[in-house]
Amino acid sequence: MKKSFLLSAAVLLACAAAAQVLRPSEAVREREARADIPDLLAGVWQGNDRLVLFGKDGNEFAAVLRVFSGRYADRAAAPAAYAEYATRDRNDATGRAAEHIEISYITIAENVSRTAGAYELQILYPGSREYAYVPLAVIGGDIYLDFLVKGSARDGDYAVQPPVTADGSPDLEGFWRDCGAAAGLLVSPPSVKKERTGYYFSGGTFYHIRYWETDMPYTYEQAGFTDGDQSFVVDKYVRSAGKVYTNCTGRRTQIRNIKKSSELPGTAHFDRDGVICAFGSPYLVRLDGRENRADLQQLTDETNAAPRPPRKPVFPVTFPDVRWPDYDALDIYDPATWNRRMLDVGK
């Protein structure tokens, strides 16, 4: 009787566990891609080697590459209507025609004050049938490619009012998911990183959570880890740049090999509401007062009209190395030094 009861209990527990595993997860909300350019992205942006236009007029995208150490500006990507506005130079530094790139915009998160936002650009390059994705964040008039978004993706793409501390500053503690994975906003499909790092902020400690690319479908499933008597829960999956990343293998939900530190790596930039965190230097900087194709074309013409420095000679110019004696040290009134001065001339 006792064995029968234990067997029945084991069967019930196994069934309950199976039901827990097979229970359908929460449906993932599809992100909506829109053709309208977000207000935070509109305008002309400048980087180390390029100018980028997100034009509100016609929702156009154009990119000007500054080649030859920034001395020549090539309008490498532009809509077809741009050719009617300004002719494009044809020379050894340019392609036969400008690339016509189609972009739609997906909002990942925006803070309540609408001063910062994280977006994913859905890009269709010429000759490609599949979309490429470039996540980026806008904070304080700067665009970053390496950034975090606070909270679980289950809570929605648009950020709600974040909690604040006793002194009124944003509460930064909690889970921060890594959403930046693309190498850049290029005129060809960019490379995408195979690993990402999420973070959990707690009491001045930063827990580093490694994510790696996986073929598993994206869900809102969560995983956890412990540190002493403390337990933390984070997203098991993160989606970025059209890829899915996980922090656990298979159906596991326990995260291993958690690293922790007392500070974040590199320079961190937070928005005023504590919703988005970016790392490093800006990828692009907004040019104030530049908003449309006319401003972009003016910058292009100014770059190409600037005088070029003279070319360096193939063979460097050499000058004779002549040793001139110090005649001031000689007594000009002493006849014994006259012949010495004559011999030194020309040496």
Side-chain angles (χ1 to χ4, degrees):
M1 181 68 180
K2 186 176 181 180
K3 291 183 178 180
S4 177
F5 175 79
L6 293 176
L7 180 61
S8 300
V11 172
L12 290 175
L13 289 175
C15 293
Q20 182 70 22
V21 172
L22 298 177
R23 181 187 302 172
S25 60
E26 182 180 351
V28 175
R29 294 182 297 274
E30 294 296 332
R31 290 175 172 174
E32 182 181 359
R34 299 184 178 182
D36 296 336
I37 298 174
D39 293 337
L40 291 176
L41 277 178
V44 178
W45 301 79
Q46 177 176 300
N48 293 331
D49 59 352
R50 68 196 58 224
L51 294 168
V52 173
L53 166 67
F54 295 102
K56 296 290 284 187
D57 297 336
N59 296 332
E60 59 185 13
F61 170 80
V64 174
L65 303 182
R66 288 180 164 178
V67 296
F68 303 123
S69 301
R71 297 190 179 97
Y72 181 75
D74 172 29
R75 199 175 72 213
Y82 207 130
E84 302 175 359
Y85 172 76
T87 58
R88 181 169 174 270
D89 295 337
R90 184 73 177 95
N91 50 48
D92 293 341
T94 63
R96 184 177 300 274
E99 301 286 341
H100 303 315
I101 299 176
E102 301 178 12
I103 299 183
S104 299
Y105 304 88
I106 302 171
T107 299
I108 301 175
E110 287 182 339
N111 61 6
V112 176
S113 58
R114 294 297 187 265
T115 58
Y119 308 95
E120 194 163 71
L121 277 56
Q122 179 178 277
I123 306 175
L124 185 62
Y125 288 98
S128 177
R129 297 182 179 180
E130 296 182 355
Y131 288 108
Y133 295 87
V134 176
L136 50 83
V138 182
I139 300 178
D142 297 328
I143 288 180
Y144 298 86
L145 295 177
D146 188 5
F147 64 96
L148 311 172
V149 175
K150 186 180 182 183
S152 170
R154 177 184 297 180
D155 299 334
D157 288 338
Y158 286 89
V160 297
Q161 180 67 43
V164 296
T165 59
D167 60 357
S169 61
D171 184 7
L172 303 179
E173 296 204 351
F175 173 56
W176 291 75
R177 63 187 191 273
D178 192 346
C179 295
L185 180 55
L186 313 178
V187 296
S188 59
S191 60
V192 177
K193 299 178 181 178
K194 295 185 177 298
E195 292 189 5
R196 307 306 304 144
T197 302
Y199 293 89
Y200 197 102
F201 301 175
S202 177
T205 301
F206 301 93
Y207 295 92
H208 304 233
I209 308 167
R210 174 175 169 262
Y211 286 82
W212 60 91
E213 188 177 336
T214 180
D215 295 331
M216 296 287 289
Y218 177 76
T219 67
Y220 292 141
E221 186 178 358
Q222 294 186 316
F225 65 94
T226 58
D227 183 14
D229 57 350
Q230 293 181 310
S231 298
F232 306 96
V233 177
V234 300
D235 289 358
K236 179 178 178 180
Y237 299 103
V238 169
R239 55 180 170 179
S240 178
K243 305 291 184 180
V244 178
Y245 302 83
T246 183
N247 54 26
C248 293
T249 57
R251 296 185 179 275
R252 295 178 181 176
T253 57
Q254 186 67 24
I255 306 174
R256 300 180 179 181
N257 301 324
I258 293 293
K259 297 181 180 180
K260 61 180 182 179
S261 63
S262 58
E263 58 184 10
L264 289 172
T267 304
H269 310 273
F270 292 89
D271 70 298
R272 66 173 62 176
D273 294 343
V275 174
I276 302 172
C277 172
F279 294 108
S281 302
Y283 177 66
L284 297 172
V285 178
R286 185 193 301 275
L287 296 179
D288 295 334
R290 308 285 186 170
E291 300 179 352
N292 50 41
R293 66 172 67 164
D295 297 325
L296 180 66
Q297 189 61 40
Q298 180 182 358
L299 293 171
T300 303
D301 295 339
E302 290 176 356
T303 299
N304 294 340
R308 304 291 186 267
R311 291 183 178 182
K312 294 183 179 180
V314 178
F315 302 101
V317 179
T318 58
F319 296 93
D321 185 11
V322 179
R323 183 184 63 83
W324 295 99
D326 186 9
Y327 291 111
D328 294 336
L330 300 177
D331 189 356
I332 62 175
Y333 298 106
D334 185 2
T337 65
W338 294 351
N339 292 336
R340 182 61 186 170
R341 292 201 302 271
M342 296 299 294
L343 293 176
D344 286 340
V345 173
K347 289 186 178 180

